[in-house]
């Protein structure tokens, strides 16, 4: 409670609602008060918090190094580590990622996320009145980015402010749930496996879901030096088919600015494609501040477009190819329109372009 009050006192978050259109904007910014000595202390907390969080994929590796370094010299340490692993295994093997996940709402909605959101800083715009919480939605996020930093911006109660009553699950790549530590972070933040069966289970449960149609391949198109943003969408129709089958509306989401958070080194395409095709591992050499994964501060704007209703189906019928193609075309046009309407406001110059591939 004291921690939450201290974070709220920093006044990092602003919420603005347009009375005429019902649109809502949530933005973050370090204020003069947050630049005081107390604010500087919280800046240090943000650095430690953000640094530990962004390297979550290495938690299992760090634990393995600890066990090797200390367990081989002290049987008591080794025994304690073996006991901890034995206690952890049921959680690791419980298949939560194929069900409805294991969200930890107290952590996901905690105001400590405002420190990270103000670091970039972030701005989120809902261009419509509040969505009907009785309906189901498929939020399509574009582009994927390298580490999907934009997901951080809906934590800390921001999602609840933008979409009250809309319970959502995020579809994540299967390998993320195979790495200890990384698995827990994903599950706690509301992620589930990106397989079709899991997606349909989420929608059958009456929940909404967030997807990244471009997938891991878009990681390689995230180039801070390019004036062209590439979204792999032309052949990505599975999420549209699932949305129609379950009567969910499609909501286009565009993320501006994330591509500037990292520098990257181009790896030979043959090696990249082989790893992605055979092992489902996207190999990319990238770095942020101090040559770590801690991102470079770059303003990010996330814009949520107008929901696109799926055509109604008769009971027991499947979506036709014509229905999928028609809705996919409307959705693609909406993504392009979202980009063009908001790119200037998001800090993109007229030389910046979007290419759908």
């Amino acid at each position: 409670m004291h921690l939450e009050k201290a974070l709220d006192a920093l006044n990092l978050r602003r919420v603005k609602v347009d009375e005429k259109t019902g649109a809502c904007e949530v933005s973050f910014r370090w204020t003069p008060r947050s630049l005081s000595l107390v604010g500087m202390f919280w800046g240090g907390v943000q650095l430690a918090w953000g640094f530990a969080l962004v390297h979550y994929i290495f938690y299992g590796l760090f634990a393995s190094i600890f066990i090797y370094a200390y367990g081989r010299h002290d049987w008591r340490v080794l025994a304690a580590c073996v006991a901890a692993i034995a206690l952890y295994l049921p959680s690791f093997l419980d298949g939560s990622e194929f069900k409805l996940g294991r969200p930890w709402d107290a952590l996901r909605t905690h105001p400590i996320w405002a420190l990270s959101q103000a670091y970039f800083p972030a701005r989120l715009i809902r261009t419509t009145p509040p969505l009907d919480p009785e309906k189901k939605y498929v939020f399509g996020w574009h582009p994927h980015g390298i580490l999907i930093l934009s997901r951080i911006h809906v934590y800390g109660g921001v999602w609840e402010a933008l979409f009250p009553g809309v319970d959502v699950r995020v579809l994540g790549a299967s390998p993320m749930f195979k790495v200890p530590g990384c698995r827990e972070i994903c599950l706690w933040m509301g992620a589930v496996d990106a397989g079709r069966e899991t997606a349909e289970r989420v929608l059958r449960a009456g929940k909404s879901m967030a997807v990244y149609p471009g997938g891991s391949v878009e990681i390689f198109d995230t180039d801070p030096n390019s004036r062209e943003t590439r979204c792999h969408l032309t052949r990505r129709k599975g999420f549209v088919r699932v949305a129609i089958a379950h009567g969910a509306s499609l909501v286009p989401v565009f993320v501006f600015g994330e591509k500037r958070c990292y520098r990257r080194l181009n790896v030979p395409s043959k090696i990249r494609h082989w790893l992605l095709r055979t092992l489902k591992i996207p190999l990319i050499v990238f770095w942020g501040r101090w040559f770590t994964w801690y991102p470079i501060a770059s303003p990010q704007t996330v814009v949520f477009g107008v929901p696109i209703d799926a055509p109604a189906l008769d009971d027991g019928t499947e979506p036709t190819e014509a229905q999928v193609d028609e809705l996919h075309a409307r959705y693609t046009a909406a993504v392009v329109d979202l980009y063009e309407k908001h790119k200037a406001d998001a800090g993109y110059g007229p030389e910046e372009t979007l290419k759908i591939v």
Side-chain angles (χ1 to χ4, degrees):
M1 184 65 70
H2 293 297
L3 175 60
E4 294 179 359
K5 287 184 177 180
L7 290 166
D8 289 339
L10 293 175
N11 197 27
L12 300 177
R13 187 168 88 174
R14 299 285 191 279
V15 179
K16 181 172 62 176
V17 178
D18 189 315
E19 298 296 338
K20 293 182 178 179
T21 65
C24 178
E25 177 180 313
V26 179
S27 59
F28 295 84
R29 186 76 61 177
W30 288 98
T31 64
R33 184 173 182 179
S34 61
L35 294 176
S36 65
L37 288 177
V38 174
M40 292 173 67
F41 163 78
W42 285 110
V45 173
Q46 189 281 320
L47 175 61
W49 160 261
F51 193 88
L53 185 68
V54 80
H55 294 93
Y56 68 100
I57 198 170
F58 298 112
Y59 289 174
L61 175 62
F62 295 154
S64 300
I65 293 174
F66 175 85
I67 294 172
Y68 177 78
Y70 294 96
R72 63 193 182 120
H73 296 300
D74 190 331
W75 69 268
R76 291 167 298 185
V77 174
L78 180 60
C81 291
V82 170
I85 292 172
L87 291 172
Y88 170 65
L89 273 179
S91 173
F92 185 77
L93 300 173
D94 69 358
S96 293
E97 70 272 27
F98 301 112
K99 301 170 186 175
L100 294 178
R102 199 193 305 150
W104 184 2
D105 289 338
L107 175 61
R108 184 183 56 80
T109 61
H110 197 279
I112 195 171
W113 294 100
L115 296 175
S116 296
Q117 292 155 341
Y119 167 74
F120 290 97
R123 184 168 62 121
L124 300 95
I125 302 171
R126 186 192 70 212
T127 60
T128 68
L131 301 186
D132 184 353
E134 298 300 318
K135 294 184 177 181
K136 295 178 289 189
Y137 304 92
V138 174
F139 295 83
W141 290 62
H142 308 273
H144 183 285
I146 292 178
L147 289 184
I148 320 183
L149 297 173
S150 55
R151 283 302 305 167
I152 294 174
H153 305 329
V154 298
Y155 301 154
V158 175
W159 181 266
E160 288 72 18
L162 290 170
F163 303 105
V166 179
D167 192 5
V168 68
R169 294 293 183 272
V170 183
L171 301 193
S174 299
M176 304 299 290
F177 300 98
K178 309 298 183 186
V179 182
C182 175
R183 167 187 174 81
E184 277 60 50
I185 294 294
C186 291
L187 288 172
W188 291 342
M189 295 300 105
V192 294
D193 183 79
R196 177 167 179 169
E197 185 176 338
T198 306
E200 292 186 329
R201 180 175 288 111
V202 168
L203 293 175
R204 281 198 299 269
K207 302 182 186 301
S208 297
M209 67 182 188
V211 301
Y212 294 84
S216 299
V217 69
E218 274 186 0
I219 293 176
F220 305 111
D221 288 331
T222 304
D223 187 350
N225 298 316
S226 176
R227 294 178 178 177
E228 179 182 80
T229 299
R230 293 164 62 90
C231 289
H232 290 253
L233 187 55
T234 302
R235 299 182 180 179
R236 308 300 174 100
K237 299 181 180 181
F239 73 105
V240 176
R241 187 181 304 277
V242 170
I244 297 176
H246 293 272
S249 299
L250 294 174
V251 180
V253 185
F254 206 93
V255 180
F256 296 90
E258 184 170 342
K259 68 178 182 179
R260 297 167 178 162
C261 292
Y262 290 107
R263 303 292 179 257
R264 52 168 286 190
L265 176 69
N266 289 324
V267 178
S269 59
K270 289 185 178 180
I271 297 177
R272 289 193 285 106
H273 291 157
W274 181 84
L275 284 171
L276 189 62
R277 184 175 61 253
T278 59
L279 302 179
K280 306 300 181 183
I281 297 176
L283 177 63
I284 180 172
V285 179
F286 67 96
W287 61 93
R289 295 180 67 179
W290 313 301
F291 293 95
T292 70
W293 283 12
Y294 189 73
I296 299 166
S298 175
Q300 293 185 31
T301 300
V302 183
V303 185
F304 297 85
V306 179
I308 306 171
D309 292 335
L313 296 179
D314 294 329
D315 292 340
T317 62
E318 293 291 327
T320 65
E321 290 302 319
Q323 288 175 318
V324 173
D325 290 344
E326 191 273 336
L327 183 58
H328 181 269
R330 290 171 58 200
Y331 177 83
T332 302
V335 171
V336 174
D337 184 61
L338 203 62
Y339 175 86
E340 294 297 338
K341 282 185 177 180
H342 295 274
K343 74 173 188 177
D345 180 56
Y348 280 28
E351 73 282 359
E352 293 273 357
T353 60
L354 173 65
K355 183 175 183 180
I356 304 294
V357 294

